[in-house]
């Protein structure tokens, strides 16, 4: 069983946090005191949409709310994305939780 945490870097912010193999990027960010925009938390509403600069993810659901073009351009939905490798993500709306 894979238990290695992945390092996630928010490009342009300089913030980093770790995510376990079964923890979504969104939940891992929250646990590290970082708020990413979110609403439905099931891959439907697209509120959390951000762009993956490097690394790879897999999804908790079969077909997250992304078009094929968006997937090709590196967009991900952190609410249902699980990091398979270390990631660098562009999330301009990320904020520190007070």
């Amino acid at each position: 069983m894979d238990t290695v945490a992945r390092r996630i870097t928010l490009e342009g912010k300089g913030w980093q946090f770790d995510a376990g193999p079964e923890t979504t990027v969104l939940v891992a960010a929250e646990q590290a005191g970082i708020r990413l925009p979110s609403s439905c938390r099931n891959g439907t509403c697209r509120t959390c949409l951000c762009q993956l600069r490097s690394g790879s993810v897999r999804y908790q659901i079969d077909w997250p709310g992304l078009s094929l073009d968006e997937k090709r351009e590196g967009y991900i939905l952190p609410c249902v994305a699980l990091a398979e490798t270390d990631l660098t993500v562009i999330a301009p709306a990320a904020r520190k939780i007070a």
Side-chain angles (χ1 to χ4, degrees):
M1 179 178 200
D2 182 4
T3 60
V4 177
R6 277 56 167 177
R7 175 57 49 111
I8 300 169
T9 302
L10 297 182
E11 185 173 294
K13 302 279 188 187
W15 302 338
Q16 295 185 323
F17 56 93
D18 292 331
E22 298 304 319
T23 303
T24 65
V25 173
L26 180 69
V27 168
E30 289 173 346
Q31 290 171 346
I34 298 168
R35 183 176 316 281
L36 299 177
S38 68
S39 184
C40 74
R41 294 178 177 253
N42 66 19
T44 304
C45 77
R46 301 166 46 89
T47 300
C48 65
L49 183 73
C50 58
Q51 193 168 20
L52 188 62
R53 180 68 92 195
S54 67
S56 65
V57 299
R58 64 183 169 87
Y59 288 99
Q60 290 180 314
I61 59 175
D62 289 333
W63 186 252
L66 294 168
S67 71
L68 287 175
D69 285 340
E70 287 170 329
K71 284 183 178 184
R72 276 189 220 107
E73 292 168 13
Y75 287 95
I76 64 168
L77 295 173
C79 70
V80 290
L82 303 167
E84 291 192 310
T85 65
D86 291 347
L87 307 176
T88 300
V89 176
I90 302 169
R95 300 284 179 261
K96 290 281 189 172
I97 297 172

